[in-house]
Amino acid sequence: MPHLPNAVMWSIPAFVLLAVVEMVSYRFHPDEDTEGYAAKDAATSVTMGLGSLVFDLLWKIPIVAIYAAIYELTPLRVPVVWWTLPLMLLAQDFFYYWSHRGHHVIRVLWACHVVHHSSRKFNLTTALRQPWTTWTVWPFYVPMIALGVHPAAVAFCSSVNLVYQFWIHTERIGTLPRPVEFVFNTPSHHRVHHASQGGYLDRNFGGILIVWDRLFGSFVPETERPVYGLTKNIDTYNPLRVATHEYAAIARDVAAARDWRERAGRVFRGPGWQPATLPEAGLPGTAASPEAGSPVAGAPTTGPEPGPGAGRAEPVGESAR
């Protein structure tokens, strides 16, 4: 097994340099149509990024053990050579798409990923705002291990994917040439992903390639200016709250649930899922309750076709979408 570097660790100096350059650019060339930087927000994003490096080391211990066991059990082996690495990167990007999509439409997974969407700014430090509970990600890459890809190769491909996504967190780059925009994830596509408007919710999940979104019906181009953040913002710069607020909201909703079916829904349905409202008995003219998980009455029906989970109701607790 050849030594494969951690692309994220090697790229940290470049992350810092490019973020500083972007900050300076806003100082000398301000733009009223962009969010720019706020000191507390940027500091929180950097803190979340540094914390993720520490917590990822802890999560790696059981995950590496599971991956190693699967790798030893499978008779398949994929050599790590010059022509297999691009194929591994392609496969990892495919499974990243489904991991990312799953972390938007299953609430307990969203509790991890919501951290990355919690900033109302969109700049290069936003890319560093990473979760501390990435134990929810590993199952999506089990097929690669089972097919004989070495766990170290999967880790390398994941780090390359993460490094690629750093530069697309910016408003300083508009749209790129059409062939690039058609194939690759770009700042324009990723601005849509971070937006909180209904037509933009749960769209553009791709990591390196945007073709997965085009193939699986989750692509939306950037048309109107995005409004960044959550549908219900958390209004805090406390890193611990940023990292855990959705888990706390899930716990409150589960505690207040009426039965086990609702408890399961609060954990495993979408972030905006609501149980059916029971009509009050004996009241004439009571309207039938909406189907569980249906959109809020009066929700907009115009604009782009809703993506997976778009237009959902807000949870009762502090769940932010």
Side-chain angles (χ1 to χ4, degrees), residues 210-226:
I210 203 66
V211 292
W212 312 122
D213 291 280
R214 297 184 185 276
L215 285 172
F216 299 115
S218 54
F219 174 74
V220 160
E222 184 181 31
T223 52
E224 61 180 308
R225 184 179 180 278

Side-chain angles (χ1 to χ4, degrees), residues 18-85:
L18 290 173
V20 170
V21 169
E22 187 183 47
M23 290 180 196
V24 172
S25 76
Y26 277 108
R27 173 69 175 174
F28 290 99
H29 298 283
D31 186 345
E32 294 180 356
D33 293 328
T34 61
E35 291 295 334
Y37 277 82
K40 287 184 178 181
D41 179 84
T44 300
S45 295
V46 172
T47 301
M48 297 306 298
L50 293 174
S52 73
L53 296 177
V54 176
F55 282 99
D56 280 354
L57 290 176
L58 298 177
W59 301 128
K60 275 183 180 179
I61 297 171
I63 292 171
V64 167
I66 295 170
Y67 278 180
I70 296 171
Y71 186 74
E72 288 301 317
L73 289 173
T74 181
L76 304 174
R77 290 292 181 268
V78 177
V80 181
V81 293
W82 69 268
W83 63 270
T84 60
L85 271 177

Side-chain angles (χ1 to χ4, degrees), residues 97 100-101 185 189 193 202-207 209-220:
Y97 169 86
H100 196 179
R101 187 165 179 167
N185 196 8
H189 299 328
H193 179 71
D202 298 339
R203 294 291 191 166
N204 298 2
F205 300 108
L209 302 177
I210 203 66
V211 292
W212 312 122
D213 291 280
R214 297 184 185 276
L215 285 172
F216 299 115
S218 54
F219 174 74
V220 160

Side-chain angles (χ1 to χ4, degrees), residues 18 20 40 77 81 95 160 168 170 178 184 192 218 249 296 304:
L18 290 173
V20 170
K40 287 184 178 181
R77 290 292 181 268
V81 293
F95 288 113
V160 171
I168 62 177
T170 184
R178 289 183 65 183
F184 293 97
V192 168
S218 54
V296 181

